[in-house]
Amino acid sequence: MGFRRPLYILLLGIVCLHAGAADIVVGERTVNIPHPDGYVELTPDMSPYYESMWAYVAASNHRYLTLIRKSTAAAIRRGDAVEVGRYMNIETEKSISRMSISAAQFDEFQNIMRTQLFELTARVQEQLPEITSAGNAALSEQFDADLAVNLGGVVPLPVHLDTDNAIASSMYMTVSATVNGADMGSEVLSATMLTLHVGDKVLFLYVYGAQSDLLWTRETANAWAESIVAANPSL
């Protein structure tokens, strides 16, 4: 089974105690997703943050939910201007969502990530302008403004977690933005990408934070993955 494309899509997508949970449907399989303590789902009533966060999903991926801090969600609903800060996404690649992935097949996927991570990340970086342009165009039309988000400066880090049912690596990346030509500044983010095999399904967990949050993204991704496995004992 060829896993280079799903791994490539995983990299394009650039989260304990339970405060809540949501059921997602992966193919025909229902998976319970616990929310880490202090986090809630970003919902359509949290405009314009909802639109901004959902505009940059890779076309080949399906995103199930985005989680933000409770305090951030409350501030958005009050109408306050906020910085989202730490947040989490859970996605999968559309074509493999319909497949039943065995342990042997997942090991094949892991082996590609172990041996070709940096090569694939370089390819992703080349495609970032194309990926962001679609989101920029959609947001600009929706809000009648010239909005441009740019992603670059990707610095991949080696695999740091490799178990029977999970593999994870992290990266740094630079995000900058302009609105109607005005420079809104730039920021270096840290991100951890954890691929989880739960039952016969594969999920992509993304955890984002500030540049100084690298360890937090790793610990949170690992705890989130463990909570998902524990919440689905029958899979």
Side-chain angles (χ1 to χ4, degrees), residues 117-131:
L117 174 63
F118 293 102
E119 171 193 338
L120 292 168
T121 303
R123 289 178 52 202
V124 167
Q125 183 155 265
E126 293 175 357
Q127 298 299 316
L128 286 178
E130 179 182 345
I131 296 164

Side-chain angles (χ1 to χ4, degrees), residues 92-181:
T92 195
E93 204 272 337
K94 292 175 182 176
S95 66
I96 66 171
S97 71
R98 299 184 291 271
M99 299 178 182
S100 177
I101 307 298
S102 68
Q105 290 170 326
F106 187 71
D107 182 67
E108 179 185 342
F109 179 99
Q110 290 176 291
N111 191 53
I112 293 172
M113 191 165 182
R114 294 174 189 126
T115 60
Q116 301 178 40
L117 174 63
F118 293 102
E119 171 193 338
L120 292 168
T121 303
R123 289 178 52 202
V124 167
Q125 183 155 265
E126 293 175 357
Q127 298 299 316
L128 286 178
E130 179 182 345
I131 296 164
T132 56
S133 64
N136 290 339
L139 289 175
S140 295
E141 180 177 0
Q142 183 168 2
F143 294 106
D144 192 25
D146 183 11
L147 305 175
V149 171
N150 296 295
L151 304 176
V154 176
V155 180
L157 301 174
V159 169
H160 62 267
L161 175 73
D162 192 350
T163 68
D164 289 345
N165 69 338
I167 189 165
S169 66
S170 302
M171 67 170 62
Y172 294 109
M173 61 183 176
T174 301
V175 181
S176 60
T178 61
V179 179
N180 294 327

